[in-house]
């Protein structure tokens, strides 16, 4: 593998090689390669490295894989490309560099997409997250008619205008990898090198968990518990943010934006679970989304009063 | 005369915004130039996914010098006045002229504003245009403050004369204008400089960019139809899709591919919608069977393998999409053909809120069913059939296909009703009851469809009126104006006799709703060329909730007013009415006890008696038959006698008997003329 550009020779042979190539590529382009956030989230955007770090004036460049959970998309491992647990690859650079499109196209080349043979297009798709109080303008990127990434210039997050603007790239890893590897069913995709002594497919690793979680998400998860946890998380988030910025123990100013945001993430995921259980009516749905948004906005308000959020005493 | 070339080169502009943006660029720049005194011979604007271009020909090299004269105070005026004048004009005393006028010697200031060179003006107008551009949605990027639809990378701005090409000096938030642009993102990315519009367009073409969206559209359509023709097939025309696709490519390459055999049995509309919405593919139809058998996709580049990889990729994506569609279709058919049939779906609609205050979709269906039954006899439908249709018309909202493709609502209901073995007119009503949606949409004519379509719209209107959610100003979130127009068009097109007030009274009564209908009707009839006051005159007549009757009156009156006799009769009527009204007010009586021909003195008076007899004899049977046109003609025919009467006869005669008789005669004119419409409400 060529370490300077992160590109390997020829086509990748496995799911993990595609991830490794993306990691190497974005590392070579100067991003801090982070690890997944250790909480259940619906998308890579929820990682504080994106949501919170896109706020404020401090420059930022990060890339990471984020396992993402969408309980309603569970299909017991049977659907060729729908999963309740999947991986997103996420890149966030602030301020968005002028050559972000070229950088992005370089990453596709790095995972073996030959630009001379394929048709890559930027098709209008504006991004909005009602739960995060966030929106941006950009595209879905098409490769031969298939959506392979989401490309967004963040304009607002948590109700705050983004100054400077972050450029966000999100790759749906399974779908992209299936395309690059020429696989029709996600469960058939080689996870490690198919020549390995113990070759594993995506299905070897995830078929059973998809089945288990589908059953739990749709039929078993206790809705009263979930509802209680939602309310606990909501209350905890508010409690944390209500605390005085000055810490009595250390005498320092410590605004607890991240612990509060963890509770916001929790509330958001619990809402998704309740939704999958089918206990939220159409009208209630909007109200729940509004409650999570209120938390996200308060966390954003708090973050911009921290050092990482550009606050100066 | 310099030529101006501007190109604003950015990241990909949404296809739907490009054409409008090119027009806005043209109008804003040329208006700005003209306001600053720079006229031009011609201008043309272009757009591609990555650029907006404007070429202006024959621009003035500089704006003309402006000369302004100001008259000042007299030479012997106080110093203060003269100083004030100097300050205002920005001149010194030596620069003033003195001229002799009648009142004495007067100061004049002659101020010359020198012309500005074109480059200065262009730079200023272009900067203002970019900063104030009317994008539907714009954004910032990086750490800048400039807004554009997507990040703006280059500004090309040149003025070309016989002497050569010069870049217009302009720098905007770090972007400096130049004579440089770029070609196709992948096929010819190297930057190059240009000297004129012709040079620019030619070099772009060499760099795999077709500048004109129209030309790209033509290429796509010609290549697509040729490809299809070679296989004995037809491309399904779709102008909206063509315009969109032309905005997604700079170098269109048309490719045709197969739809997998497994999917050919899907309804053609499902294939077409899935391919258009998700993939932006054109559908290719077999003219013999009417089936959609292939697709056309438009790539943005040529490749060494002639598009084989691209086509294979697109085909794969399509199969995945259509597998979903087929899965939905088969699941839905299973439900439709089951014992419970479409009821299984309507039952689920109990869990779907229509509106907080108006209950679930199921509640709504119940109301529509009752209403459709009540309306059935008025529209010539069988009541049981109308109710049956109303009960299934919205069942498909629970189907998987409609969940995935909401735009197929109604149509899927038709397929599923047919699959469930329901009668053909019930199936048709599933699809047609949403119509008409717009002012030019087809209006259903089948009786059962009409009953359900009316019931659907009337339930929406009475419901939202009942909870006081009426349209205000430009806000009409529930599309109630469209629903009212739908009712109007259904009634008029089918000449239905529907007593709306009675229906409102049985559901939710509000006089306000009737006047809302009347307002919508005025808007609708205005397009037919029927004046507001004509409609007001007809609205004043009884039975104005019967729109067919109301419009028959309005059309008859409107047609009559277009004839000379008609307009003159109205003048005659108004004269008669004015004299009569004044007399009635003054005398405190109503002159309606009949005029006696034996008191007719003047031949004109006698003639009027006879004419009224004739008119009444014609009008009575015409009205009995709602023949408003014939009635209006009979009235218009009175005109010569009415005119002659006013010419020859003094109504307020000295003899009180004659006067009263004449007033009673005027009353007869009034009674006769008010039978079709209240002519007193006409303007003028």
């Amino acid at each position: 593998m060529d370490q300077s550009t992160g590109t390997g020779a020829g086509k990748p042979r496995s799911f993990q090689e595609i991830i490794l190539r993306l990691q190497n590529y974005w590392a070579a382009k100067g991003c801090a390669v982070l690890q997944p956030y250790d909480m259940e989230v619906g998308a890579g955007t929820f990682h504080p490295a994106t949501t919170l770090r896109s706020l404020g004036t401090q420059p930022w460049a990060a890339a990471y894989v984020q396992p993402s959970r969408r309980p309603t998309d569970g299909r017991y491992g049977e659907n060729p490309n729908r999963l309740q647990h999947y991986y997103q690859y996420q890149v966030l650079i602030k301020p968005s560099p002028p050559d972000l499109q070229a950088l992005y196209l370089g990453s596709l080349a790095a995972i073996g997409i030959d630009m001379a043979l394929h048709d890559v297009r930027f098709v209008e798709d504006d991004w909005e997250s009602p739960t995060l109080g966030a929106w941006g303008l950009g595209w879905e990127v098409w490769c031969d008619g298939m959506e392979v990434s989401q490309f967004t210039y963040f304009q607002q997050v948590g109700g705050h205008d983004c100054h400077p603007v972050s450029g966000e790239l999100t790759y749906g890893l399974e779908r992209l990898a299936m395309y690059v590897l020429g696989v029709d069913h996600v469960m058939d995709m080689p996870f490690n090198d198919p020549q390995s002594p113990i070759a594993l497919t995506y299905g070897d690793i995830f078929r059973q968990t998809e089945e288990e979680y589908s059953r739990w998400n749709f039929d078993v998860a206790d809705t009263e518990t979930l509802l209680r946890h939602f309310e606990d998380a909501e209350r905890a988030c508010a409690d944390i943010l209500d605390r005085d910025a000055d810490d009595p123990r250390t005498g320092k100013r410590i605004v607890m934006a991240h612990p509060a945001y963890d509770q916001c993430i929790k509330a958001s995921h619990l809402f998704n679970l309740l939704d999958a259980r089918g206990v939220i009516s159409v009208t209630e749905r909007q109200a729940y989304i509004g409650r999570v948004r209120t938390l996200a906005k308060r966390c954003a308000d708090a973050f911009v009063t921290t050092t990482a959020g550009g606050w100066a005493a | 005369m310099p030529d101006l070339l501007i190109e604003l080169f950015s990241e990909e502009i949404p296809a739907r915004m490009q054409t409008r943006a090119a027009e806005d660029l043209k109008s804003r720049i040329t208006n700005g130039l003209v306001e600053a005194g720079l006229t031009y011979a011609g201008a043309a604007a272009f757009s591609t996914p990555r650029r907006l271009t404007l070429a202006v020909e024959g621009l003035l090299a500089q704006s003309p010098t402006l000369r302004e004269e100001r008259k000042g105070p007299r030479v012997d005026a106080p110093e203060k006045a003269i100083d004030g004048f100097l300050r205002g004009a920005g001149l010194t005393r030596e620069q003033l002229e003195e001229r002799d006028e009648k009142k004495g010697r007067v100061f004049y200031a002659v101020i010359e504003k020198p012309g500005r060179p074109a480059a200065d003006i262009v730079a200023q107008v272009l900067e203002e245009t970019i900063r104030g551009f009317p994008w539907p949605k714009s954004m910032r990027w990086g750490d800048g403050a400039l807004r554009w639809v997507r990040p703006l990378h280059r500004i090309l701005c040149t003025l070309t004369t016989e002497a050569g090409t010069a870049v217009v000096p302009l720098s905007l938030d770090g972007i400096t204008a130049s004579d440089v642009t770029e070609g196709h993102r992948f096929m010819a990315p190297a930057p190059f400089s240009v000297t004129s519009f012709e040079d620019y367009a030619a070099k772009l073409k060499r760099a795999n960019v077709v500048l004109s969206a129209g030309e790209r559209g033509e290429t796509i359509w010609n290549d697509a139809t040729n490809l299809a023709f070679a296989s004995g097939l037809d491309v399904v025309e779709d102008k909206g899709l063509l315009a969109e696709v032309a905005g997604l490519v700079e170098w269109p390459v048309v490719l045709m591919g197969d739809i997998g055999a497994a999917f050919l049995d899907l309804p053609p509309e499902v294939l077409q919608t899935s391919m258009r919405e998700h993939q932006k593919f054109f559908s290719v139809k077999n003219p013999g069977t009417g089936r959609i058998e292939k697709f056309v996709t438009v790539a943005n580049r040529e490749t060494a393998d002639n598009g084989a990889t691209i086509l294979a990729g697109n085909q794969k994506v399509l199969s995945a999409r259509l597998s979903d569609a087929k899965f939905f279709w088969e699941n839905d058919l299973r439900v439709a053909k089951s014992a419970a049939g479409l009821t299984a779906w309507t039952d689920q609609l109990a869990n779907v809120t229509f509106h907080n205050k108006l209950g679930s979709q199921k509640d709504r269906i119940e109301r529509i069913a009752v209403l459709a039954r009540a309306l059935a006899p008025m529209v010539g439908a069988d009541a049981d059939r109308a109710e049956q249709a109303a009960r299934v018309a919205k069942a498909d909202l629970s189907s998987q296909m409609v969940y995935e493709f909401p735009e197929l609502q109604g149509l899927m209901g038709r397929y599923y009703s047919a699959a469930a073995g329901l009668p053909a007119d019930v199936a048709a009503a599933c699809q047609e009851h949403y119509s008409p949606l717009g002012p030019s949409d087809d209006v259903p004519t089948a009786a059962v469809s009409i009953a359900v379509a009316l019931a659907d719209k009337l339930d929406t209107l009475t419901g939202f009126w009942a909870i006081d959610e009426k349209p205000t100003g430009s806000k009409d979130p529930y599309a109630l104006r469209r629903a009212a127009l739908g009712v109007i068009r259904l009634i008029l097109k089918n000449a239905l006799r529907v007593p709306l007030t009675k229906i409102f009274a049985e559901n939710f009564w509000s006089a306000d709703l009737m006047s809302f209908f009347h307002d919508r009707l005025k808007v609708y009839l205005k397009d037919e060329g029927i004046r507001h006051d004509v409609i007001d005159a007809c609205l004043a007549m009884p039975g104005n909730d019967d729109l067919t009757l109301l419009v028959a009156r309005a059309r008859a009156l409107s047609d009559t007013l277009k004839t000379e006799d008609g307009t003159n009769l109205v003048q005659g009527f108004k004269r008669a009415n004015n004299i009569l009204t004044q007399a009635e007010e003054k005398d405190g009586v109503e002159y309606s006890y009949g005029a006696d021909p034996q008191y007719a003195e003047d031949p004109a008076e006698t003639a009027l008696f006879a004419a009224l007899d004739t008119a009444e004899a014609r009008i009575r049977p015409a009205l009995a038959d709602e023949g408003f046109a014939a009635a209006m003609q009979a009235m218009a025919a009175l005109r010569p006698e009415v005119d002659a009467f006013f010419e020859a006869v003094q109504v307020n005669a000295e003899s009180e008997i004659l006067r009263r008789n004449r007033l009673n005669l005027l009353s007869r004119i009034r009674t006769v003329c008010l039978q079709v419409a209240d002519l007193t409400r006409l303007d003028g």
Side-chain angles (χ1 to χ4, degrees), chain B residues 296-324:
Chain B
V296 158
T297 183
V298 184
N300 187 31
R301 64 163 308 153
E302 293 165 15
T303 62
D305 65 354
N306 291 317
T309 308
I310 296 172
L311 192 58
N314 275 289
Q315 231 147 0
K316 200 166 172 175
V317 182
L318 180 64
S319 305
R321 290 279 187 202
L322 294 182
S323 299
D324 274 354

Side-chain angles (χ1 to χ4, degrees), chain B residues 334-355:
Chain B
R334 209 167 299 132
V335 175
K337 289 177 180 169
S338 69
L342 305 192
T343 328
W345 281 333
T346 40
D347 286 346
Q348 283 174 31
L349 291 174
N351 301 320
V352 179
T353 310
F354 170 64
H355 183 283

